[in-house]
Amino acid sequence: MKQGLLTDRQKEVLRYRKKGLTQQQIAEIIHTSKANVCTIEKAALENISRARETLEFLYTLDAIHLCTLKTGLDLLKAPELIYAEAEKQGLKVKYDTISLINRLRDANPERFSGRQVREDVEIYINKDGDLYFG
């Protein structure tokens, strides 16, 4: 039965992958082909990505656009830029430098390569100092 955005099969495959099993091992357990496991996993990850994007959009509805981290920016310079822009708006970011960098990377892993921003990241802030990324 599908509950939420993932089917039971997608949840099952993701649970096995989280435990470290290979696609081939999962295929043997659930009696299907490795190619089918690959397809199931890919669809699940796409659904999760769409859900994450939808939630980020929802959160930005109560936030203002703060700044844009441009492609090529050194990630270690991002906190300084974000703090300065928040200060201009009279807002205080609720994250310290390390937490902010980790939050950026965790929320947008595909947008960073090492210390470099690979793709522009829009930064939003709400009145409580929470940051959201678009």
Side-chain angles (χ1 to χ4, degrees):
M1 176 192 311
K2 187 170 181 177
Q3 190 175 27
L5 296 175
L6 300 176
T7 65
D8 288 343
R9 187 63 114 186
Q10 289 171 335
K11 291 175 188 177
E12 181 181 24
V13 166
L14 291 177
R15 283 188 189 107
Y16 283 130
R17 291 292 277 164
K18 183 76 174 173
K19 290 180 181 178
L21 276 68
T22 66
Q23 290 179 340
Q24 184 60 49
Q25 290 169 321
I26 297 167
E28 291 168 8
I29 292 169
I30 65 175
H31 306 292
T32 190
S33 68
K34 178 183 172 191
N36 191 39
V37 170
C38 181
T39 300
I40 292 167
E41 182 178 9
K42 182 178 179 188
L45 295 175
E46 287 171 355
N47 288 346
I48 290 168
S49 178
R50 280 194 298 275
R52 198 174 271 138
E53 288 173 15
T54 302
L55 285 173
E56 286 295 335
F57 170 75
L58 177 65
Y59 298 143
T60 64
L61 290 176
D62 292 327
I64 61 168
H65 183 263
L66 190 62
C67 61
T68 302
L69 303 182
K70 294 289 191 182
T71 302
L73 178 74
D74 184 332
L75 184 58
L76 297 182
K77 294 184 182 198
E80 181 181 333
L81 174 65
I82 292 169
Y83 295 142
E85 291 300 318
E87 190 173 329
K88 287 180 192 174
Q89 299 289 333
L91 298 167
K92 181 169 174 31
V93 176
K94 70 185 260 183
Y95 307 100
D96 63 33
T97 301
I98 299 300
S99 298
L100 177 52
I101 290 171
N102 288 336
R103 184 152 158 56
L104 275 166
R105 291 187 77 127
D106 292 347
N108 303 281
E110 70 286 350
R111 293 187 181 180
F112 299 98
S113 178
R115 287 179 31 185
Q116 298 297 308
V117 176
R118 288 179 34 188
E119 179 183 330
D120 287 2
V121 180
E122 303 297 329
I123 309 295
Y124 298 85
I125 189 169
N126 69 12
K127 62 181 173 55
D128 298 323
D130 279 318
L131 295 175
Y132 304 101
F133 314 109

